[in-house]
Amino acid sequence: MDMSKYTQVFLDEARDYIQRINDSLLALEADPQGNRTVLNVIFRSVHTLKGMSATMGYSAMAEFTHQMENLLQKLRNGEVEPGEEVMDILFASLDVLEKMMDDIAAGGKGEVDTSDLRQRMLALLEKGADEVEPEPVKKKEEIVIEDEISFNEYESRLITEGKKRGFQAYHITVFIRENCLLKAARAYMVFRKLEKLGEIVKTVPSVQDIEDEKFNRSFEVILLSNRQPEEIRQALVSIAEVEELRIVLVGVEIKEESGAISPPAQDEAVPTNKKSGQIVCQDNRCELRTQKVRTVQTVRVDIDRLDTLMNMVGELVIQKTRLEQIGRQQGNSELNEALEQLGRLTWDLQNVVMKVRMVPLEHVFNRFPRMVRDLARKLGKKVNFVVEGQETELDRTVIDEIGDPLVHLLRNALDHGLESPEEREKAGKNPVGTVKLAARYEGNNVIIEVKDDGRGIDVEKVREKIVAGGLLPREEAVQLSDEEVLNYLFQPGFSTAEKVTDISGRGVGLDVVKSKVESLSGSIELFSTPGKGTTFQIQLPLTLAIMQALMVQTGNEIYAIPLSYITETTNITPGDIKVVQNQETMILRDHVLPLIRLHEYFEVPEEPRSLNEYAVVVVKKGEKKVGLVVDQLLGQQEIVIKSLGNSLPPISALAGATILGNGQVALIIDVPSLF
Amino acid sequence: MSTSMVVIFRLHRQEYAVDIAGVQEIVRLVKITHVPRAPRHIKGVINLRGNILPVVDLHGFFSLPPRVNSERTRIVIIRSGGRTMGFIVDEVLEVRSFNLDALEPPPYLEEKKGKNFARGVIRLGERLVMLLNVDVIMNELLQAGEENGRGVCTNGS
């Protein structure tokens, strides 16, 4: 059976589980004696990973997760304490799993050298075994395994209605002996038996696939039945070559193992755990806990398809605008009414599509707790890492890019921002420092803050650096406001090597952070109070696909200038233009502003118009400003950004194009390239 | 005998043809947005149902007298080698099938720097129609941009 097409799904899902384990491990570390649910979540996730990898034939991973499961089992039974060594091993195991995922993603089999870790695990397991009698725990405990099967509306209705009539929905997983020759025939017999006991709602894979033997060792059936699980089990174990069974009440699991026919010492990757099976179903008195059938479903979609959809919606909006123009000309009220309706619909549609592209910041944030933990340990600092607003959503493209800058800022906060516990205590602070990563909406923007309560930045020392580095003469440096001084930290190569320690090292790579954020049409600011801490505030647009722009006209051409670069607009008469060293300039509030005539700069084919007054759009890049001279301003507008396509070589002065209400193309000016 | 459908169009007083397989559609002349620093004979871009496509001034490319827009001016949208471009033509004349075996070798004059912009000449009675090699032309167009850096804009429109 060709599994390759499932590899991506496997990877996606497995990564979700690894993330879940990671989060739970952090929670466990924070509160080792806390409730057992965290441990159960970890155990379940590892267990599921084991099953998934075994199904996909990644035996190295299945074996390794099995090993992890053994360790977790000991933890769960209280035979091993979740001490430092155990946690380290578990975190290291996660790293191994990540490596396996990478290998699988690269087309490998997920074979990674795990011998070291396994040795450590074994040592721990043996130690645990020595200390505690490895007797099966007798206490009653429920293990709810998450249902991997999701139902469509029809199926869930069947199940709910069945439940009303007193039928239960069972999720039965049937494992057939590996070397079985007629798997389909065995499956057929299973179906025959089950059909006598109830109604089959769904199978995974589909009945057709099962009949075609398109399954590995196991298949799953959802059965509506009023029989007891034991009865079902008895009926199925009598079929030859059915090796194992797992019967789960939908929402609730009753784990069973047909020990009678299961050959002893099976392959390590058998996705059922003997011990847990015994715990759950003792003397057939299975405790059932009903849960709602999960009906919320998600679909993973290729981002390209979303882009196409977005494109088409944008086009729809344009056509709508066109129709509206015609409608106005016709003056037909009935038509206009219909067009208004259409307008609302397209607006909603556009919003929905935009939303679909949005991803919660969680996807970026969730890898940080682990990173902060590791880093804090390495640096010997104590950190309370607080994450807020991870549910805040941003456009997918922004999400993909914002991770690295945040890593940088967090590392900075830990490395240079926070003092050592001793230093903090001396300063009368809590020895445990706080680093906060918080996100929130603000208008059409998202604000992400990285905040520490460390030593802060000494503005005067930075000022000294500015002078010492020859960036500004002393007289000017003295006049800078604190804010302006701090801004110098974003200058490329501002603080290097040995200067680092003096001013707590900020500045290294901050220029990279800044340019990354700016490439995402965002901005970054820095606030600091000596002794109290430092805050980096990043402001990002909700989406990159749509932006606010000022539309300008020169000749017959219309251009869009992204609003985020514009500081102001003004007017100028030809007489006000002064030429300084071959450069046209104007005086704007006592400052000399270089001018660029867009008409010339963009080589507009027709002759420039001679006007009594031109409009000037002042744009900035960092501290530098330049004035763009155009014929007239057409007003501010929300534009959908489109690429110029692959049929043209890249053109440096352009950031793309957009389509105007009348169907015409307007080019978007890439402001940074003007400088 | 292999026949092929071709679209025949007019540029100035000459007739040209392209294989219909590469022709996506033919649209009326719309406002072309000038693109600064684009390759030399690229007039600009147009919006074709939400996609932005470059359009080519074939008159300039073939060194014909400057184009004069008329009611009959059309943009032939051609796809080739993963690229889509619009070619401005003075008039689309006809679509007809043609026996490729009867294709005559291109006249040497149409070979620029050893590049074959024509696949051959189709003879239709008195008419001589040049069958264009679209891929080679597109490559040449984009190349011109690289060589020129800041492409010179063509004279008027």
Side-chain angles (χ1 to χ4, degrees):
Chain A
M1 180 175 171
D2 177 26
M3 303 296 272
S4 60
K5 60 179 166 180
Y6 300 114
T7 310
Q8 193 50 47
V9 180
F10 167 79
L11 286 172
D12 285 349
E13 286 185 3
R15 288 215 163 95
D16 282 351
Y17 279 109
I18 291 177
Q19 185 57 47
R20 201 176 302 173
I21 298 170
N22 182 49
D23 294 347
S24 309
L25 278 180
L26 287 166
L28 185 66
E29 191 179 39
D31 183 12
Q33 303 306 329
N35 59 33
R36 304 184 59 82
T37 47
V38 179
L39 201 48
N40 283 336
V41 169
I42 301 173
F43 189 85
R44 257 164 15 218
S45 306
V46 172
H47 182 78
T48 312
L49 274 177
K50 182 171 90 171
M52 283 164 64
S53 49
T55 318
M56 292 294 292
Y58 300 129
S59 51
M61 185 164 165
E63 218 169 290
F64 185 71
T65 39
H66 182 75
Q67 204 89 22
M68 283 178 77
E69 219 179 22
N70 283 346
L71 178 57
L72 288 164
Q73 184 64 27
K74 295 259 178 192
L75 263 177
R76 213 152 67 152
N77 293 347
E79 292 167 37
V80 173
E81 285 300 311
E84 227 166 77
E85 168 73 357
V86 177
M87 293 314 291
D88 274 351
I89 288 180
L90 286 173
F91 276 123
S93 310
L94 272 195
D95 292 342
V96 167
L97 284 180
E98 293 270 9
K99 272 190 206 135
M100 287 176 166
M101 302 297 296
D102 290 345
D103 185 52
I104 291 169
K109 275 284 187 189
E111 272 146 19
V112 172
D113 180 28
T114 61
S115 47
D116 256 19
L117 206 56
R118 294 182 69 148
Q119 281 303 318
R120 281 169 75 189
M121 273 192 198
L122 277 178
L124 206 76
L125 286 175
E126 272 159 25
K127 203 169 115 212
D130 283 346
E131 283 165 8
V132 186
E133 206 46 28
E135 198 186 334
V137 189
K138 289 279 187 208
K139 66 182 160 186
K140 216 164 196 174
E141 198 179 350
E142 228 183 353
I143 300 150
V144 184
I145 296 246
E146 191 173 328
D147 255 315
E148 301 304 333
I149 288 193
S150 49
F151 302 103
N152 65 27
E153 213 176 308
Y154 171 71
E155 287 155 3
S156 39
R157 209 175 60 224
L158 264 185
I159 292 167
T160 13
E161 271 170 21
K163 280 193 174 164
K164 276 188 210 147
R165 287 182 291 137
F167 284 76
Q168 294 292 356
Y170 294 105
H171 175 180
I172 304 167
T173 312
V174 183
F175 293 88
I176 299 209
R177 187 165 298 162
E178 197 139 22
N179 48 12
C180 171
L181 289 175
L182 290 165
K183 289 195 288 185
R186 298 300 165 209
Y188 176 65
M189 289 170 75
V190 170
F191 286 155
R192 280 278 299 275
K193 291 264 187 188
L194 288 179
E195 267 156 7
K196 281 186 196 145
L197 297 167
E199 191 183 344
I200 295 176
V201 180
K202 184 191 180 106
T203 68
V204 177
S206 70
V207 177
Q208 189 61 49
D209 282 353
I210 293 175
E211 280 173 3
D212 293 343
E213 274 193 15
K214 284 184 186 157
F215 65 99
N216 235 14
R217 261 191 69 211
S218 66
F219 59 90
E220 294 164 61
V221 183
I222 301 294
L223 180 77
L224 269 183
S225 168
N226 55 0
R227 308 295 181 95
Q228 287 300 310
E230 187 54 23
E231 231 176 304
I232 299 170
R233 195 176 73 83
Q234 286 303 339
L236 295 183
V237 293
S238 60
I239 299 168
E241 294 190 301
V242 168
E243 200 169 78
E244 285 180 54
L245 281 173
R246 212 170 76 178
I247 302 178
V248 185
L249 198 66
V250 168
V252 176
E253 164 153 331
I254 320 145
K255 248 192 182 174
E256 295 233 352
E257 192 167 0
S258 48
I261 52 162
S262 177
Q266 253 292 318
D267 173 3
E268 282 199 308
V270 173
T272 312
N273 188 296
K274 222 168 192 164
K275 210 177 257 175
S276 55
Q278 287 168 354
I279 298 167
V280 182
C281 229
Q282 267 183 329
D283 316 323
N284 279 340
R285 279 191 2 247
C286 315
E287 230 185 294
L288 307 182
R289 194 175 66 188
T290 22
Q291 283 176 352
K292 258 195 189 160
V293 178
R294 200 175 55 174
T295 46
V296 180
Q297 295 183 15
T298 55
V299 181
R300 288 176 202 274
V301 187
D302 190 338
I303 192 86
D304 285 346
R305 289 197 198 168
L306 286 185
D307 286 343
T308 314
L309 186 62
M310 184 76 203
N311 217 4
M312 287 162 77
V313 170
E315 190 57 17
L316 195 63
V317 171
I318 291 156
Q319 294 301 333
K320 183 213 72 182
T321 321
R322 242 171 165 167
L323 272 178
E324 276 170 351
Q325 276 170 3
I326 297 169
R328 269 197 297 276
Q329 282 160 17
Q330 306 271 323
N332 181 334
S333 65
E334 221 173 325
L335 176 66
N336 283 340
E337 216 171 285
L339 283 174
E340 252 169 56
Q341 286 284 356
L342 182 67
R344 272 193 287 276
L345 272 175
T346 42
W347 174 249
D348 285 349
L349 186 60
Q350 198 175 8
N351 274 332
V352 170
V353 175
M354 295 296 295
K355 274 224 181 82
V356 172
R357 287 180 55 97
M358 300 293 234
V359 182
L361 270 168
E362 200 182 344
H363 286 257
V364 187
F365 283 11
N366 58 19
R367 64 179 155 126
F368 292 148
R370 170 74 193 282
M371 188 196 86
V372 170
R373 169 196 178 270
D374 288 357
L375 204 61
R377 282 194 73 168
K378 215 165 83 190
L379 294 165
K381 288 180 182 171
K382 288 192 174 141
V383 186
N384 174 24
F385 184 50
V386 185
V387 180
E388 274 175 17
Q390 65 254 56
E391 71 286 343
T392 313
E393 291 184 334
L394 272 169
D395 192 276
R396 180 71 209 222
T397 26
V398 184
I399 291 279
D400 290 345
E401 299 288 322
I402 198 63
D404 290 345
L406 288 179
V407 166
H408 206 106
L409 293 179
L410 284 172
R411 292 185 75 99
N412 251 351
L414 276 162
D415 195 3
H416 310 302
L418 287 189
E419 315 91 325
S420 65
E422 302 80 48
E423 238 179 287
R424 290 182 66 92
E425 232 158 345
K426 243 184 257 167
K429 285 169 144 181
N430 185 343
V432 181
T434 302
V435 172
K436 190 163 145 189
L437 177 65
R440 63 173 188 273
Y441 293 108
E442 229 179 70
N444 251 342
N445 294 302
V446 166
I447 308 283
I448 305 176
E449 273 182 351
V450 177
K451 197 173 190 168
D452 67 59
D453 67 346
R455 55 173 75 93
I457 300 171
D458 188 334
V459 178
E460 289 317 310
K461 278 193 179 156
V462 181
R463 209 187 292 271
E464 284 305 310
K465 287 281 109 71
I466 295 172
V467 178
L471 290 164
L472 275 184
R474 182 167 297 274
E475 336 41 284
E476 279 183 49
V478 178
Q479 290 191 359
L480 292 179
S481 70
D482 288 2
E483 235 171 87
E484 285 170 318
V485 170
L486 288 182
N487 259 330
Y488 269 86
L489 294 172
F490 291 111
Q491 295 263 326
F494 176 70
S495 79
T496 48
E498 72 286 345
K499 298 180 199 160
V500 173
T501 41
D502 306 348
I503 58 152
S504 73
R506 286 166 201 272
V508 183
L510 277 182
D511 59 314
V512 180
V513 172
K514 187 177 168 125
S515 60
K516 186 87 209 171
V517 169
E518 280 177 351
S519 75
L520 297 169
S521 306
S523 62
I524 183 164
E525 274 184 279
L526 164 60
F527 309 97
S528 183
T529 318
K532 288 267 172 66
T534 308
T535 302
F536 284 92
Q537 196 180 73
I538 298 175
Q539 184 178 338
L540 290 167
L542 276 180
T543 170
L544 285 184
I546 287 187
M547 70 172 167
Q548 290 286 333
L550 179 70
M551 311 305 289
V552 300
Q553 184 170 14
T554 181
N556 278 332
E557 302 291 333
I558 295 172
Y559 296 99
I561 306 174
L563 217 56
S564 51
Y565 291 111
I566 299 176
T567 57
E568 64 185 298
T569 60
T570 179
N571 291 323
I572 190 173
T573 57
D576 288 340
I577 300 177
K578 307 263 185 293
V579 180
V580 181
Q581 284 181 330
N582 273 336
Q583 167 71 54
E584 286 188 318
T585 58
M586 71 181 282
I587 305 292
L588 183 69
R589 283 193 299 277
D590 293 340
H591 283 280
V592 177
L593 181 73
L595 295 176
I596 294 176
R597 286 183 193 250
L598 212 56
H599 203 104
E600 281 170 29
Y601 193 77
F602 276 179
E603 302 157 352
V604 178
E606 65 221 85
E607 281 298 302
R609 289 177 206 174
S610 97
L611 303 170
N612 293 332
E613 199 175 52
Y614 293 92
V616 177
V617 182
V618 184
V619 293
K620 62 160 195 283
K621 179 194 178 189
E623 299 299 306
K624 283 186 255 175
K625 282 182 184 171
V626 73
L628 296 175
V629 182
V630 297
D631 288 359
Q632 60 167 325
L633 307 179
L634 299 177
Q636 186 181 328
Q637 193 178 317
E638 202 161 71
I639 58 171
V640 179
I641 303 162
K642 293 178 175 259
S643 87
L644 282 169
N646 58 351
S647 305
L648 268 182
I651 292 164
S652 63
L654 302 177
T658 190
I659 294 167
L660 303 172
N662 60 6
Q664 246 184 57
V665 181
L667 301 175
I668 304 169
I669 299 175
D670 180 35
V671 173
S673 75
L674 298 175
F675 291 88
Chain B
M1 188 178 98
S2 67
T3 56
S4 170
M5 295 286 275
V6 293
V7 178
I8 299 178
F9 56 84
R10 181 174 64 82
L11 290 177
H12 196 57
R13 287 188 210 124
Q14 277 209 47
E15 289 184 29
Y16 296 84
V18 287
D19 192 329
I20 202 164
V23 177
Q24 183 186 314
E25 60 194 294
I26 297 165
V27 295
R28 285 174 175 275
L29 186 65
V30 291
K31 156 91 173 126
I32 297 167
T33 301
H34 166 77
V35 177
R37 290 151 220 209
R40 206 164 154 224
H41 297 294
I42 306 246
K43 277 297 298 168
V45 289
I46 57 161
N47 162 31
L48 186 75
R49 290 189 306 281
N51 290 312
I52 293 174
L53 301 179
V55 284
V56 178
D57 179 32
L58 279 181
H59 288 76
F61 186 75
F62 287 127
S63 313
L64 297 169
R67 178 169 53 89
V68 182
N69 289 340
S70 80
E71 256 301 290
R72 296 203 175 124
T73 307
R74 293 287 182 278
I75 302 176
V76 183
I77 311 291
I78 298 181
R79 252 184 315 198
S80 174
R83 292 177 299 232
T84 309
M85 289 186 185
F87 289 79
I88 311 170
V89 303
D90 287 327
E91 188 178 5
V92 173
L93 298 168
E94 58 180 321
V95 176
R96 65 182 296 157
S97 68
F98 172 75
N99 181 3
L100 281 183
D101 298 335
L103 197 68
E104 293 179 20
Y108 71 95
L109 275 179
E110 295 305 322
E111 278 182 44
K112 274 189 186 174
K113 298 176 220 152
K115 287 174 192 144
N116 262 323
F117 298 129
R119 280 164 61 188
V121 173
I122 302 172
R123 200 148 31 159
L124 300 169
E126 290 291 291
R127 294 157 64 195
L128 289 179
V129 180
M130 187 124 53
L131 183 62
L132 295 179
N133 201 342
V134 177
D135 228 17
V136 178
I137 294 177
M138 282 191 182
N139 281 337
E140 178 71 12
L141 280 165
L142 296 180
Q143 218 100 68
E146 281 158 33
E147 281 163 21
N148 286 344
R150 293 174 62 110
V152 187
C153 68
T154 44
N155 40 342
S157 55

